[in-house]
Structures are given as C-alpha cells and as structure tokens.
Amino acid sequence: MTTTDHSTDAYAAERDTTEGRVYTVTGGDWDELVSSVDPVNEERLIINLGPQHPSTHGVLRLVCELEGETVRSVRPIVGYLHTGIEKNMEYRTWVQGTTFVTRADYLAPIFNETAYCLAVERLLGIEVPKRADVIRVIMMELNRISSHLVALATTGMELGALSMMIYGFRDREKILDIFEAVCGLRMNMAYVRPGGLAQDLPPNGVQMIRDFVEYMPKGLDDYEGLLTGNAIWQERTQGVGYLDVSGCLALGVTGPVLRSAGLPWDLRKTQPYCGYDEYDFEVPTHNGADAWARYLVRLEEIRQSLRIIAQGLDKLEPGPVMVEDKKIAWPAQLALGGDGMGNSLNHIRHIMSQSMEALIHHFKLVTEGFRVPAGQVYAAIEAPRGELGVHAVSDGGTRPFRVHLREPSFVNLQAIPALAEGGLLADVIAGGASLDPVMGGCDR
Amino acid sequence: MTDDATGTGRDRPDGVQPVGMQTRKGLFGTEGTGDTSGFGGLVQAAPTAGEIVSTPEPLGGYFDEVVGALRELLGEDVTRAVVVDRGELTIYIAPDRTEAVCKAMRDDEGLRFELCNSVSGVDYPDQRNRLHVVYHLTSMTYRRRVRLETAVGLDNPVVHSVTSVYPTADWQEREAYDMFGVVFEGHPHLTRILMPDDWEGHPQRKDYPLGGIDIEYKGAHIPPPDERRSYK
C-alpha cells in the first residue's frame, strides 16, 4: 500500500482537512450511494418462490413483494397439484372412494380414509365393530406420528438442521413398515373402508406396533437433544410466524397451529369419534403462537399419540373388523399369496364353487356397489394438520353424488400472508413450514 | 354431435358449459355419458327435483334454540326450510342473506358460531336453483355444528360473500366459484384458484364431463385420453 500513489487511487480518494490528510478507503460516499440507489426504502422487488422449490413443501407458489429483506406482501398460489379427486369420486362406487381420498393428503392417508368412511357410515346409518374402531384409532395415531415426523424433518431441513431430516425420515420409515405389514402398502393404503377395515391386523402386527411404541420415546429424546436446546433453532423459530387465537379463528386455522396459540381445541376431545372419549390423553397447548410453539406442540402430540396407541393395543379384543351386513361389507377376503396380497384362494373357492348367493353378492358389490340412502352429512376428524371434514351428499345411488374434502392444508395456507408479511424473507419459509401444508391435500 | 349434448338424457340448460360437450365413447364401450373412464354408466340416479320439506318442530336438542335465536334476530322468514337429518341441522336461507345470517350466527351471544369450517358447492341439475352453496359452522363455545345452505339458478348465480364475516371463506368461495360458477358478491378478488386462470367452464357441475377435455398449453394441443389412440 505504501508504494501506491494515493492521489490517483480510485478506491481511496484523499482530501485535506484541518485534521490533516484523510483517505476515504471505501471507494465512495456511501450516504450518497445509498440515497441514490435505495433498496430498502424505494425499490420493491417481486420474487417468485416455487412452484418447484424444496422449501415450499411441494408445488406451492409464493409471490413475495420485498423491500430489501423485508416481506411486504405474500400471495400464495395453489392448484398445481389439482387432480380432480372430488370429481372422480362421483364416477366410482362408494367403496372405490377410499382409494381416491387416500391420495389427497398423502402424508395422512388413514385420516382421509377414516373421515370419508365416517361420513359414508353416517349416511348409511351403520356402526362399525368395536375392533375396527380400535384399529382405526391405532392406525390414525401411528399416521399422526409419521406425519408430524415429516413436519419436523422438513422444517429442520429448511432451517438448516439436516440431521433432523435424516432422523425424522428414519423413524417415519418404521411406521411405514408397520403400515406395509398391516395393509400391504406404505402410503395410500385404502385400508379403512365403509363399514370397517379392509382386513385385520397381521399375526405379528401387534408386536410390531408394541416394539415401535417402546422405541419411539428414545427417538423423541434425540430430536429434543438436537433441536430444543439448539440456539440456531430457537433463533429461527421463536417469535417467527406469529398467529394468535383470534387470527386462527378468523382464518379458520385449526390443529397444532391453533393449539400453539393456546386454545385446546382438539376434535378428539371436543367432539369425539371412533371412541376417542375412552382414551386417556392430554391436548398439548402452548402460548407462544409462533413456529417454536408449534414445534413443541407437535413433539408433545407425538408423545400423546404413543400413549393412545399403547391404550389401543390393550383394548384390542378378538372380533370382526367389518360390519356383518353382506349387502355392504366388501366381499373379498384378502390373503398373502405367492405374488403378494390378493383375494384368498378359500374365498375364490367359496364364491366360484360353493355358494351361488356369495357369487351374486360378490359380483353386485364389486361391479355396482351398495346404495346409500339420500341425504348429506359432514363428518370431521382431527387430522395432523387440523380439522379434516368430509361433506358427502348421496342421491340414493351407488356412487357419491358429491364429496367435498375440507382440507386443513387448503384452509391453513390462507394464513401465510398473516404469518409472513412484515417479517424477513427467510421467515416466510420458517412460518410456512410451521403450518405443515401438504399440497396433495390442499389441491386435491 | 347430437342434440343431447350432455349425454344425460336431459336437455342441457341453454348457454352453459360450452366445453367438451361432444358425445364420446368411453374405454370399455360406454356411450353417451360424460365418463370416459369406462367404469361409470352403471347407475344414473337422478337426484330429487322436489321441494325441500322442513322437519316438523320441535327439532330436538339445541336445534330449536339455534333456529329460534336466528329467527328472533333476522325475522321469521330468514329460514326458508329447516331440516334435521342424521342428527345434523340444515338451515336453508336466501342467497342474498348469507352474510347477514353468518354475522348473526357469529356475533349473537346465544349462537357464537366462531368458526366457519367449510364452504362447498353442490350441483343438483334437476332443480331450478341447481347450484347449492353449503356452509358448515362450528360454535366452539357451545360445541355445536350447523349447516347453512342456499341455492341459486344458472341465470343469476349470485350469492352474498361471507368473507367479511369469516375471512376463512375467501379461498373456499373461490373454489366454489372455480368449480361451480357461483358468483360471490362482495368477495375481494373472486378468481379461479385450483384450475388455470383461463379455463373454460366449471368442472364440478354435473353436466361437465369427467376427462375428455382437450388441453392447449403454450400452443401445444393435447387431445383427451380417449382420443389419443384407439382402444377398440
């Protein structure tokens, strides 16, 4: 530096003052520069996040208007995963409907199926056997855990806690293994059917679930060790994505987000279904109303789900898992064959060579389905993301006249502007992730 | 093209649903139905076109209280019909009074329906006012649910928006507009939400076919699945 001729150095202009010679080494007058090009106060930048971006939870598109790093407005744009599930169901039988709804919110398929089946059962005016109810509860709570694990894992990934992503998906895999053993599929199982379940638990099913209930608390301790005391995690989530109770109610936000704001509204407690009133569990709440509170609420909900599963396993008693009425019960008896799960050979022998009536029932139910008395119902359950409602209308025919899914992802996503506007761009991701939207459910 | 463009055996109301109304054949030989998947066409049950009959009072449970409070606030004629079915209360109201009814339902101390759970549309093609909009409300204070239903015809499918009372109805009303073509008066920005902005027609109307709509995207023309190759 000493050999440089300062008088000609563009990056260190010099001027004489009463204090002596002063060098301006920054290369210009920043005050002048900032006032001439002012990104904070003058320029608004419009940034498009998504629809294909790992931090937008699937095909969600956010159009953000920025002033510097500050978000002035967010406009969520949805519909990229619209697959016409509701329209398709109007062209299939009531039983086939389960295979459609299960694909809506693909992280919580059992919930979609159960809500739909509860609606169909209310239209039919039937009650499912006790054992089917208990297995539904066990499967729903397992599914709640797996869904919350994905929420924790993806939020962790988006905020830079990559280990959490690995841990979350590792433990979710154990639940998917249970699902696979029980229904033959890891996702989109169509396991819950109008009138009961597709089949009973396999011989080793109860033991698999017990092993998982024993294993999981250790996994939860791992997550807490990773995240709860982690300064970066706290900084990224505390005070981020604030939405209080009145905001939640106005925007229709339910589930962990509402409970993180302090209102213990959980349909399992407030309007019980599937016999949830017989289980002993708490509804965790928090007063933070921010992403941090939602994280804590979800962790605690996993613990409560484990309690419910353990109680459910104790309640299991031998019995049928499908209603007795042969006019409604799906006639197939499944069994594991050499080429995977399929109709059991005993059942095929029965309908093909032993009973004409069984064959007729099988044929009529499979091709045409059962008729559902005309009317409309609304059945709602507490899904991992909030209230999942099914508005089902029947015209008395064998196919749904109209089925509407009140999807918590769809409704909750409306809250993104309320969560994110006025905050920093990075907090849009944290706030959005704390809503845990699933676009398959949102767009249906 | 035949005159029976909807393929349902019913005359199509004039001037609606110009899209994809050709008579088409399904995969497995089904004809004359909007369903090109081949699985449909088994039962074509027509929904009732009859008038909605009120359940005789008393309705039982909290239903009388809710209906009574609503009538006291907004007059006897606010409820067009009141139906209790399968333990659920449905109150039929006029399409231009949805906002007033929802406001009363939310704010009255005896009602307190704080949460609007769901807004959905239903199309009953045989009814004169065929487009129904159904609101499901929940009172968290009293742990009650109620269903509001209103119906409009195709000639003037206008329902008062409830977004000023329940902001959560925003997207759900947009969905009902998108899928059924119900126009919500007073909605801040009634645009399509699930379908593309320039989509023609309202897909969940009963005379709109399942599949069989050819798609144009950036100049590329994609025929509907049943026309892409010959299956028969």
Side-chain angles (χ1 to χ4, degrees):
Chain A
M1 279 299 282
T2 47
T3 57
T4 314
D5 182 7
H6 294 298
S7 60
T8 58
D9 188 350
Y11 297 101
E14 60 170 76
R15 59 202 161 99
D16 287 317
T17 65
T18 49
E19 313 284 332
R21 185 167 287 179
V22 173
Y23 293 97
T24 310
V25 291
T26 48
D29 190 337
W30 273 107
D31 288 339
E32 229 175 272
L33 193 70
V34 165
S35 61
S36 64
V37 186
D38 184 353
V40 179
N41 296 317
E42 281 176 14
E43 191 175 334
R44 288 206 169 193
L45 197 62
I46 300 201
I47 287 215
N48 176 61
L49 288 179
Q52 286 292 359
H53 186 274
S55 288
T56 53
H57 278 264
V59 281
L60 168 65
R61 180 175 165 208
L62 298 172
V63 177
C64 307
E65 198 176 334
L66 302 180
E67 280 179 10
E69 279 281 301
T70 309
V71 178
R72 285 296 165 217
S73 79
V74 186
R75 289 293 168 266
I77 298 171
V78 300
Y80 294 96
L81 209 54
H82 177 59
T83 47
I85 285 175
E86 292 172 5
K87 177 82 174 173
N88 268 292
M89 288 168 74
E90 294 169 14
Y91 289 84
R92 302 293 192 278
T93 65
W94 288 92
V95 172
Q96 285 173 318
T98 47
T99 55
F100 278 90
V101 289
T102 193
R103 280 156 175 80
D105 182 345
Y106 44 78
L107 291 184
I110 294 280
F111 289 93
N112 304 338
E113 296 165 17
T114 308
Y116 170 72
C117 290
L118 286 175
V120 178
E121 283 152 13
R122 196 181 296 166
L123 277 170
L124 285 166
I126 58 172
E127 278 192 15
V128 301
K130 174 89 178 132
R131 185 177 171 86
D133 254 348
V134 175
I135 296 178
R136 280 181 184 183
V137 167
I138 293 172
M139 294 292 278
M140 275 195 284
E141 294 307 320
L142 282 170
N143 200 170
R144 188 185 311 279
I145 296 175
S146 76
S147 175
H148 279 355
L149 285 179
V150 175
L152 293 175
T154 51
T155 312
M157 181 185 69
E158 285 160 12
L159 302 189
L162 278 173
S163 317
M164 183 61 230
M165 194 261 286
I166 306 286
Y167 278 34
F169 277 105
R170 179 195 67 186
D171 293 341
R172 171 174 179 259
E173 204 66 18
K174 295 185 189 302
I175 297 177
L176 296 188
D177 286 346
I178 295 173
F179 287 165
E180 193 176 0
V182 172
C183 0
L185 289 168
R186 290 151 48 87
M187 295 169 76
N188 309 330
M189 307 85 146
Y191 178 62
V192 182
R193 302 276 173 85
L197 304 169
Q199 55 186 328
D200 207 339
L201 292 175
N204 64 339
V206 172
Q207 191 53 46
M208 281 184 85
I209 299 170
R210 274 202 201 285
D211 290 347
F212 175 77
V213 172
E214 214 162 284
Y215 161 83
M216 194 57 208
K218 195 192 154 295
L220 285 171
D221 293 342
D222 283 351
Y223 315 151
E224 289 216 272
L226 266 177
L227 297 179
T228 307
N230 184 327
I232 301 174
W233 182 258
Q234 292 181 359
E235 289 281 319
R236 288 299 309 271
T237 55
Q238 286 179 355
V240 169
Y242 182 84
L243 191 67
D244 61 9
V245 172
S246 55
C248 284
L249 289 188
L251 293 166
V253 177
T254 46
V257 184
L258 177 59
R259 292 191 283 275
S260 78
L263 188 68
W265 181 260
D266 186 325
L267 293 176
R268 293 177 292 176
K269 283 280 189 203
T270 55
Q271 295 174 340
Y273 51 92
C274 289
Y276 264 112
D277 42 344
E278 296 166 18
Y279 296 82
D280 178 28
F281 65 100
E282 314 275 318
V283 176
T285 56
H286 200 280
N287 289 324
D290 54 5
W292 169 252
R294 281 159 218 152
Y295 155 72
L296 291 177
V297 165
R298 287 205 176 93
L299 267 189
E300 187 54 32
E301 281 189 10
I302 295 180
R303 291 216 161 80
Q304 298 300 328
S305 292
L306 290 171
R307 278 179 70 187
I308 298 174
I309 295 168
Q311 293 169 43
L313 290 174
D314 294 338
K315 277 184 206 291
L316 271 183
E317 279 169 19
V321 294
M322 184 54 108
V323 288
E324 296 282 328
D325 190 347
K326 292 287 180 209
K327 300 275 184 199
I328 292 171
W330 185 251
Q333 309 290 318
L334 298 181
L336 196 61
D339 54 348
M341 189 73 75
N343 279 330
S344 84
L345 291 175
N346 281 337
H347 177 65
I348 292 173
R349 195 174 304 123
H350 179 61
I351 59 172
M352 295 309 288
S353 57
Q354 290 173 347
S355 166
M356 189 63 180
E357 285 72 28
L359 178 64
I360 294 170
H361 271 117
H362 185 105
F363 181 76
K364 289 288 279 182
L365 274 174
V366 172
T367 55
E368 189 180 303
F370 50 78
R371 286 174 187 277
V372 171
Q376 59 178 332
V377 294
Y378 179 80
I381 65 171
E382 188 69 31
R385 277 157 274 285
E387 174 174 332
L388 172 66
V390 173
H391 176 217
V393 185
S394 173
D395 60 353
T398 57
R399 294 182 281 167
F401 187 69
R402 164 92 168 114
V403 175
H404 175 71
L405 297 180
R406 186 268 184 205
E407 255 295 332
S409 298
F410 182 69
V411 179
N412 292 4
L413 265 179
Q414 293 183 91
I416 279 199
L419 291 176
E421 287 178 2
L424 298 176
L425 177 60
D427 293 344
V428 174
I429 304 302
S434 72
L435 288 178
D436 187 24
V438 172
M439 300 315 290
C442 173
D443 296 344
R444 285 154 286 140
Chain B
M1 282 294 276
T2 63
D3 285 333
D4 179 23
T6 57
T8 54
R10 294 185 293 267
D11 281 338
R12 180 159 56 92
D14 46 297
V16 262
Q17 295 301 342
V19 179
M21 282 298 154
Q22 308 84 358
T23 301
R24 288 163 300 112
K25 287 186 176 180
L27 293 188
F28 306 126
T30 54
E31 282 183 56
T33 165
D35 176 17
T36 54
S37 67
F39 293 101
L42 297 168
V43 173
Q44 194 78 47
T48 171
E51 285 294 305
I52 293 151
V53 183
S54 286
T55 308
E57 299 185 20
L59 308 167
Y62 59 84
F63 300 153
D64 294 292
E65 206 180 312
V66 170
V67 175
L70 192 62
R71 282 181 179 150
E72 201 172 296
L73 285 166
L74 296 172
E76 286 291 318
D77 60 338
V78 68
T79 56
R80 285 183 164 178
V82 178
V83 174
V84 175
D85 180 30
R86 296 172 171 90
E88 295 181 15
L89 173 66
T90 310
I91 302 175
Y92 291 83
I93 54 176
D96 57 348
R97 299 193 76 176
T98 49
E99 192 183 357
V101 170
C102 282
K103 192 158 171 49
M105 295 290 268
R106 186 191 67 179
D107 292 343
D108 185 68
E109 276 181 20
L111 295 169
R112 285 233 191 283
F113 286 86
E114 300 97 341
L115 185 63
C116 174
N117 298 95
S118 162
V119 180
S120 64
V122 187
D123 181 15
Y124 295 89
D126 284 357
Q127 295 183 358
R128 193 169 51 83
N129 287 336
R130 55 181 273 188
L131 299 178
H132 288 225
V133 181
V134 185
Y135 304 83
H136 289 94
L137 309 183
T138 297
S139 164
M140 289 174 155
T141 309
Y142 301 111
R143 298 196 179 169
R144 293 169 174 175
R145 282 188 193 277
V146 68
R147 177 187 301 123
L148 303 177
E149 187 160 344
T150 185
V152 288
L154 287 180
D155 47 340
N156 185 29
V158 179
V159 176
H160 255 264
S161 168
V162 301
T163 44
S164 61
V165 184
Y166 296 118
T168 178
D170 183 339
W171 281 20
Q172 305 187 61
E173 286 184 350
R174 280 175 66 190
E175 188 188 337
Y177 162 72
D178 193 355
M179 293 297 161
F180 293 92
V182 180
V183 176
F184 291 91
E185 198 178 342
H187 191 287
H189 44 262
L190 193 66
T191 53
R192 288 189 183 271
I193 183 162
L194 294 177
M195 302 303 286
D197 289 342
D198 55 352
W199 195 263
E200 281 181 48
H202 300 284
Q204 288 211 328
R205 283 192 188 167
K206 284 289 177 184
D207 48 13
Y208 194 97
L210 175 74
I213 307 278
D214 47 354
I215 296 163
E216 245 182 79
Y217 182 71
K218 293 191 174 175
H221 185 83
I222 300 146
D226 58 319
E227 288 172 18
R228 285 180 202 164
R229 67 186 81 166
S230 174
Y231 286 97
K232 290 193 275 285

